[in-house]
Amino acid sequence: MQERSSVYRDTESRFRHRRREGEIVTALRAATIEDVARRAGVSRAAVSKVIRNAYGVSPAMRERVNAAIEALDYRPRVAARAMRGSSFTIGIELPHIGNPFFTKIVAGATAALTGTEYQLIIAPADVDGEEGVRAIGALADRQVDGIIAISPLVAPEWLERLAARVPVVMLGRHDRSVAYDTVTGDDAEGTRLVMEHLLGLGHRRIVHLTRSEEVTRPGSGNPHAIRLERYLAHMHDAGLDDCIRVVRTGLDEESARLDTRALLDAETPTAIFVGNDELALGTLRALNDHGLSPAEVSVVGYDDVDIASYPAISLTTVNQSGEAMGERAVRLLLERIQGRTEPTHFSVEPTLKVRGSTQPVPPEPAP
Amino acid sequence: MQERSSVYRDTESRFRHRRREGEIVTALRAATIEDVARRAGVSRAAVSKVIRNAYGVSPAMRERVNAAIEALDYRPRVAARAMRGSSFTIGIELPHIGNPFFTKIVAGATAALTGTEYQLIIAPADVDGEEGVRAIGALADRQVDGIIAISPLVAPEWLERLAARVPVVMLGRHDRSVAYDTVTGDDAEGTRLVMEHLLGLGHRRIVHLTRSEEVTRPGSGNPHAIRLERYLAHMHDAGLDDCIRVVRTGLDEESARLDTRALLDAETPTAIFVGNDELALGTLRALNDHGLSPAEVSVVGYDDVDIASYPAISLTTVNQSGEAMGERAVRLLLERIQGRTEPTHFSVEPTLKVRGSTQPVPPEPAP
DNA sequence: TTGAAAGCGCTAACAA
DNA sequence: TTGTTAGCGCTTTCAA
């Protein structure tokens, strides 16, 4: 930074001289719009119009400008453009880059953006709560033209204030707002599919392994909150209040493994409904650690990540299209950038993938 | 964008009036350094010094400025800062977000950046070649202060030109340059471990499943190029020239599955050394599709992604610490930003994780 | 259709 | 220690 003090700008020749440890280093400065204008013999405004495909440029001028751009290998500085308007950047906040379901969302978003002039950037958070807010804030500070926030742990008011400045799509959470759009899975329906499947197999002692209390706070609209709430409702409706058992864990496979182990040290349920597939893999490992097979303890996940269908894993889970969600989120953002103001909410339908990890309940051993 | 034309800037009151579909909408404008300065009764320069922790501010002034920043919820616009120097952003180009090994690199980079004033952003590429260059270019256009490029498919000269403008760490490829730093795994050593293991188990008909010709172009320094080259050398040295068999595939699990199936339709080797774990999972699926067990066909991967150690998968593979690589890449970048000019090259040591997917060669069936 | 010029929010040289 | 001021590279009015 202090180097800038010794940068001599040489406007005519495009050389930049800087003093580094005594000696003067000369390097070719990147072309600016000014350089292009001078070379093409036109004004900066003209070049600007050409690169923005704006109205009112003669074909002849367009051609000369494009030639100059080519010759100088000119690329507009995004920071400068951002100061006057758009950064042509869409930002997505990713709570946990290790989760393959989030990865699918990104793939969908990337696909929806190819062919447009927008670039996707990901701000990884990798820890709950504070970190997510930090990442979203970092995107906002970078003047992105739109933000996709994945189930952020923040108050709706906070998001609304953000959405007043920049288009926001909230992905995952079920609370709605007129300020931002939402893309969700139908977690109530997904949970219904899971619970009916397990109950239909005869299971009664069904444990629900889920995230922290903070994440599943009732009314928060977080997907895990909905899944927990519906789990409780289905257990109650089935007359199984006595069998309700909720176990908490962290956000990665290893936490789930450890917490499942602790559970199994104390008791052995006949089925475990796990908040998502990544955690379910940890549960499966723990079961393995305890020498328990699917015939003894059934496991259901959520998301249908690729590895769930792997034959040796064969995890029963709820499929929801992360690609479709990411793609839709981008589309909603682009519409908002185009000027749409009515809030829009989009939901994807879940389906149950029944695989080998769920089996009919084993006969109760004599107590 | 055209909305800007109807934005009335109200410098004194921090209100922004814009015309939207006829009616004038008034919203609170985000605070700028000017607002902070006015509220604190100091100059913009003073505020700038405070937020940069620059030398020469009295404690009293610092306190007043900080109070104003707090009161106004002021956040510096990164675009404006970038125009004058740094964007406090490190960019990483990710060739394929579905690969869990890359995910580890990102985790390492994120960890190395926590506590600093820099933010990591990821530009996903998700296709070979052109897309990678596009993503790296997009990061450069966004004035990031440093770029981590993961095995990009570009000429060293291209990278050198880039590195003349912004610090670059190339992660993966083995070619070196004085212009940029490198972080690599020791792919020759990793391949040696794999080949000695397989040969030691008695395997002779060892197929190598690898990426496209473009990716493995000899001399390109790409990790897959090295692995291929060493595979050929070890086969040759073992007197197994006749058994050499190289099969090409794409960059994801599904391609590997399809191409392995095609291979198995034609012949059945006793072992397959796959270019990385993600592809190896596809190979394992194909083996499964063909009803072949590890006792019949051994498989080795590369990277030791988390799922490789999963009991039901148990993939023999080469462990190299993606976290360490990502962390080191960030450290090298920060050093360059601090002013280091000598090129630095860092390499991580690979180790072989022997698991159930490799077994002694089965007896040759009578022809 | 074209260009001149103002200004976006910051940093840093320099003066006070 | 503090403030004045000249830009950074663009976009967008507005006048020619």
Side-chain angles (χ1 to χ4, degrees), chain A residues 1 5 42-45 49 56 58 61 83-84:
Chain A
M1 289 220 286
S5 55
V42 298
S43 70
R44 293 195 327 256
K49 281 171 190 157
S58 66
M61 171 174 271
M83 291 215 57
R84 303 292 297 153

Side-chain angles (χ1 to χ4, degrees), chain A residues 305-320:
Chain A
V305 301
D306 289 345
I307 199 73
S309 68
Y310 192 92
I313 289 179
S314 199
L315 173 65
T316 295
T317 185
V318 178
N319 176 284
Q320 52 180 350

